[in-house]
Structure formats: structure tokens, C-alpha cells
Amino acid sequence: MQTIAEPTIVSRTKAAYDGVGGALWTLNHRIAPVWVLYGAIPWGSDLRKGEREVERFTQSWESGRVILDLPVGMGRMFPHYADRLKPSRLIAVDLSDGMVRRARRSAERAGFSGNGDFVAADVASIPLPDASVDYVLTEGGFHHFPDREAAVSEFMRVLRPGGSIAGYALVDRENLRGSLSLRICHRFSLMAEPISAARLRSVFHAHAAADWQESKTGSLLCFAARKPEQ
């Protein structure tokens, strides 16, 4: 399979989420039956289960800390922040300016009154200092990131020693339907080249991630890891 050039994926993904695609994606998240079907039909996944798994991974996260949410999308986890995590600072980052605007509105609707920063940026160059965040949430990002090595490197760079990361991603080779859907999306430059769970796990391990946890539902890999204390 031909590998799509990184600039093509980045530009097309940004254009899709800046435009009508971003509005449709937001609507998809807000209408529960549509969200369920989106997980089941192309990916063979229970997305609600995936979200519950990420919430389980974050149960040990302490309140009053700094959280980076990337890609933030429409800010689906903001009610969770407002109710339990109460971050001292929330940094919401997405490649798409349109999704950043939607995330800001979602934060307002959720009653999130913390110190929120909303930034449009690429995961390969996160505009934050080293060791500046306690936790990273990355839901639905890695199947879009063309350079997974750069993404994990940046996440580990901005995490403080002992900090944690949790999220989920669509991965290859879990079921025929999901693998086919990933290849179609990649063919049209809407997702990066499909990556297996084993390969994604190895990228994290190569960047010294510790305490790896994972679970799967269809093609959805839910995962958590920690940056070792130094």
C-alpha cells in the first residue's frame, strides 16, 4: 500500500475538521444512537465501552493538576473534568481551529470554570515547555497522527516525571471490517497509515513509557501508560 505523504494527511485532516466534517463529527458525538452505530458498523467497536475504559484508567488521576487534552475534538470529556478532575489548568489542543472553537463552547456548557487554554497546534510540535503537564488525554488521535514516534516523543516530553497518559485509538489487524475501513480512510488521506496495537505499544515502550495497560473493543485500543520518575 502506498504511504500518503505527511503534509497531505495533515492538510486534509485539518480541512475536514475545520469545515463541514467538524460539524458532522460534533453532531455524531451528541446523538447517542449515531455514536453507537459509528463504532459498531465500520470498526466493530463499542465506543461507549471505550470511553468507560479511559475513565477507568483516569480514576487514579488527582484533582487540581494540569491536563493536556490532544486532540480535544469537541471536548467530550469536559463534563468529566468539571465533575471530578477539576484541573488547575486545562490545555485543549487540536490541529483544527474549528474544533478548538467547538471545544471552548463545550467547556462553557459543561460549566468548566478552571484555567482553560485552547490552542490550535500539531501534535508533532506541542507549544508547551518540557515537563509542564501532569496528565495527557488523547482520545481518537493516533489513527490520524502521521508520525507516531514524534507524537509519543512530544507527549513524553511535556509530561512531568510520574505523569500519566490515557486514551484510545483505532488500530489495524483486530477485525476485517475495521482493517478495511482504516485502509479506505487512509487511501483518501483522512487517516494516517494503519498501525497495529503491537506497533503502537512498541512506540510507547521505545520512549520509556512504563506501567502499560490496554483493553480492546473491536478495532478500538484503549491504553494507559506513565512517564517514569527520574
Side-chain angles (χ1 to χ4, degrees), residues 53-130:
E53 284 295 280
V54 174
E55 289 186 12
R56 180 174 67 85
F57 291 147
T58 64
Q59 284 301 307
S60 62
W61 291 10
E62 298 177 358
S63 62
R65 299 301 182 95
V66 179
I67 298 176
L68 168 64
D69 189 332
L70 192 171
V72 67
M74 60 165 284
R76 187 174 175 85
M77 286 290 285
F78 287 157
H80 183 56
Y81 297 144
D83 290 343
R84 188 179 70 81
L85 293 176
K86 298 178 176 61
S88 60
R89 184 184 180 200
L90 168 64
I91 307 164
V93 178
D94 202 287
L95 180 66
S96 163
D97 300 90
M99 297 312 289
V100 170
R101 288 193 297 270
R102 293 182 178 94
R104 185 181 286 109
R105 291 196 294 268
S106 294
E108 293 170 355
R109 282 193 295 268
F112 178 73
S113 58
N115 182 12
D117 297 324
F118 297 84
V119 182
D122 193 328
V123 68
S125 183
I126 301 173
L128 291 173
D130 294 355

Side-chain angles (χ1 to χ4, degrees), residues 19-225:
V20 175
L24 292 175
W25 182 244
T26 300
L27 189 64
N28 179 25
H29 276 69
R30 288 181 177 159
I31 302 176
V34 176
W35 183 237
V36 170
L37 289 174
Y38 171 73
I41 294 174
W43 315 112
S45 304
D46 182 346
L47 296 183
R48 295 170 301 178
K49 179 181 177 182
E51 290 175 335
R52 289 194 298 270
E53 284 295 280
V54 174
E55 289 186 12
R56 180 174 67 85
F57 291 147
T58 64
Q59 284 301 307
S60 62
W61 291 10
E62 298 177 358
S63 62
R65 299 301 182 95
V66 179
I67 298 176
L68 168 64
D69 189 332
L70 192 171
V72 67
M74 60 165 284
R76 187 174 175 85
M77 286 290 285
F78 287 157
H80 183 56
Y81 297 144
D83 290 343
R84 188 179 70 81
L85 293 176
K86 298 178 176 61
S88 60
R89 184 184 180 200
L90 168 64
I91 307 164
V93 178
D94 202 287
L95 180 66
S96 163
D97 300 90
M99 297 312 289
V100 170
R101 288 193 297 270
R102 293 182 178 94
R104 185 181 286 109
R105 291 196 294 268
S106 294
E108 293 170 355
R109 282 193 295 268
F112 178 73
S113 58
N115 182 12
D117 297 324
F118 297 84
V119 182
D122 193 328
V123 68
S125 183
I126 301 173
L128 291 173
D130 294 355
S132 56
V133 305
D134 297 291
Y135 304 121
V136 172
L137 184 73
T138 177
E139 292 186 306
F142 276 90
H143 46 269
H144 286 298
F145 301 155
D147 190 340
R148 281 70 178 234
E149 295 278 353
V152 175
S153 176
E154 279 292 271
F155 283 146
M156 299 301 283
R157 178 184 67 79
V158 301
L159 267 177
R160 294 186 177 120
S164 299
I165 180 170
Y168 58 65
L170 293 166
V171 293
D172 196 15
R173 302 178 188 174
E174 297 302 324
N175 61 69
L176 182 60
R177 187 167 54 199
S179 295
L180 179 61
S181 297
L182 283 168
R183 281 163 174 72
I184 291 172
C185 289
H186 177 60
R187 175 65 183 83
F188 289 96
S189 303
L190 297 175
M191 291 185 184
E193 186 172 6
I195 185 173
S196 68
R199 174 58 185 152
L200 184 57
R201 190 186 311 122
S202 71
V203 173
F204 273 91
H205 288 163
H207 287 84
D211 300 337
W212 179 264
Q213 302 177 67
E214 69 176 57
S215 66
K216 298 173 188 173
T217 168
S219 293
L220 195 71
L221 173 71
C222 308
F223 60 88

